[in-house]
């Protein structure tokens, strides 16, 4: 008695499944060249390689900058890269405000003693009708040098190297700008426990370029 249509279809699909499984074994069960091997020649799981980014990376690197780890212990949200980005923007804003003789723009960025030191200088520039525009040739270089906690106040020193182009505010567009290079160490402070407290400039010193 011959095989029925149903039996023939079952035999066909069984053979097809066996063929597919055999081809899958050939692909996954063999290595081609150096695939699936480490540099020492030992085989490694091929499918696990793509998940290496999910492995634990170990403890976070410890900062080499003095005082930063102590600061992080008091202020866990402190991140060096984010702080330097903010400090660089503040640096540019303060420099631009000073050259424009703009006390209103300068005031919220500095502490009272710093503003008290800059205020008569700015007033003198205003009296002499000195107002200048400044642009940075390139983003200033900012390097974190030191951090510390004094009572509830965080103090962080940053070394800035900058090259800027300065010209009078009323100068014609084609007027050549004066190039100036600066090297300074700025100290920023902020109350650690204060909510939404901004970093303020509290000290400026010259630095060796």
């Amino acid at each position: 008695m011959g095989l029925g249509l149903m039996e023939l279809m079952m035999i066909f699909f069984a053979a097809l499944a066996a063929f597919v499984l055999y081809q899958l074994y050939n692909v996954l069960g063999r290595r081609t060249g150096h695939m699936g091997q480490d540099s020492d020649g030992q085989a490694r799981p091929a499918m696990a390689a793509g998940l290496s980014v999910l492995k634990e990376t170990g403890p976070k690197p410890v900062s080499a900058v003095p005082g930063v780890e102590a600061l992080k212990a008091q202020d866990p949200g402190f991140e060096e890269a984010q702080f330097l980005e903010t400090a660089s923007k503040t640096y540019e804003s303060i420099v631009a405000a000073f050259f424009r003789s703009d006390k209103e723009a300068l005031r919220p960025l500095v502490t009272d003693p710093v503003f008290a030191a800059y205020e008569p200088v700015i007033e003198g520039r205003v009296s002499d009708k000195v107002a200048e525009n400044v642009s940075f040739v390139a983003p200033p270089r900012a390097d974190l040098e030191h951090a510390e906690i004094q009572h509830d106040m965080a103090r962080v020193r940053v070394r800035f190297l900058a090259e800027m182009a300065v010209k009078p505010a009323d100068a014609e567009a084609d007027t050549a700008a004066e190039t100036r290079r600066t090297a300074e160490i700025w100290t920023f402070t902020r109350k650690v426990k204060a909510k939404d407290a901004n970093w303020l400039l509290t000290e400026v010193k010259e630095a060796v370029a």
Side-chain angles (χ1 to χ4, degrees):
M1 181 172 63
L3 296 174
L5 178 60
M6 184 63 68
E7 287 82 358
L8 289 174
M9 290 182 64
M10 291 177 63
I11 293 173
F12 171 76
F13 284 115
L16 180 61
F19 175 76
V20 171
L21 289 174
Y22 174 75
Q23 294 297 325
L24 187 61
Y25 168 79
N26 283 341
V27 173
L28 298 180
R30 299 180 181 180
R31 295 195 304 268
T32 302
H34 294 285
M35 289 180 62
Q37 291 184 339
D38 288 326
S39 58
D40 59 2
Q42 297 297 317
R44 57 178 171 77
M47 296 303 293
L51 301 179
S52 60
V53 294
L54 300 181
K55 294 179 181 178
E56 291 293 333
T57 57
K60 292 183 179 180
V62 176
S63 174
V65 179
V68 167
E69 294 306 315
L71 173 57
K72 288 181 178 180
Q74 296 292 324
D75 184 4
F78 180 84
E79 293 292 340
E80 294 176 55
Q82 183 180 10
F83 169 80
L84 286 176
E85 181 180 356
T86 301
S88 295
K89 292 179 180 178
T90 302
Y91 173 85
E92 294 185 37
S93 297
I94 290 175
V95 170
F98 176 81
F99 276 97
R100 292 196 313 269
S101 300
D102 188 347
K103 292 193 297 182
E104 291 185 6
L106 180 67
R107 185 65 192 90
L109 303 175
V110 302
T111 59
D112 293 342
V114 171
F115 184 76
Y118 278 131
E119 187 174 29
V121 179
I122 292 176
E123 289 177 350
R125 288 167 59 88
V126 172
S127 297
D128 295 336
K129 297 183 180 180
V130 176
E132 298 167 305
N133 289 330
V134 61
S135 60
F136 289 86
V137 177
R141 174 175 172 173
D143 295 304
L144 197 61
E145 289 209 333
H146 186 269
E148 62 182 346
I149 296 286
Q150 294 182 348
H151 304 294
D152 64 341
M153 191 70 69
R155 293 172 55 87
V156 181
R157 290 204 309 263
V158 182
R159 186 173 187 267
F160 287 107
L161 297 178
E163 183 176 1
M164 57 192 75
V166 182
K167 63 181 180 179
D170 57 356
E172 298 293 334
D174 57 352
T175 301
E178 175 188 356
T179 300
R180 302 181 190 177
R181 295 178 177 85
T182 63
E184 295 175 324
I185 295 177
W186 287 26
T187 300
F188 295 91
T189 59
R190 181 174 78 90
K191 284 189 176 181
V192 176
K193 303 299 182 182
K195 199 171 184 178
D196 300 327
N198 294 323
W199 289 96
L200 301 177
L201 175 65
T202 192
E203 187 178 14
V204 176
K205 290 184 178 180
E206 291 186 11
V208 178

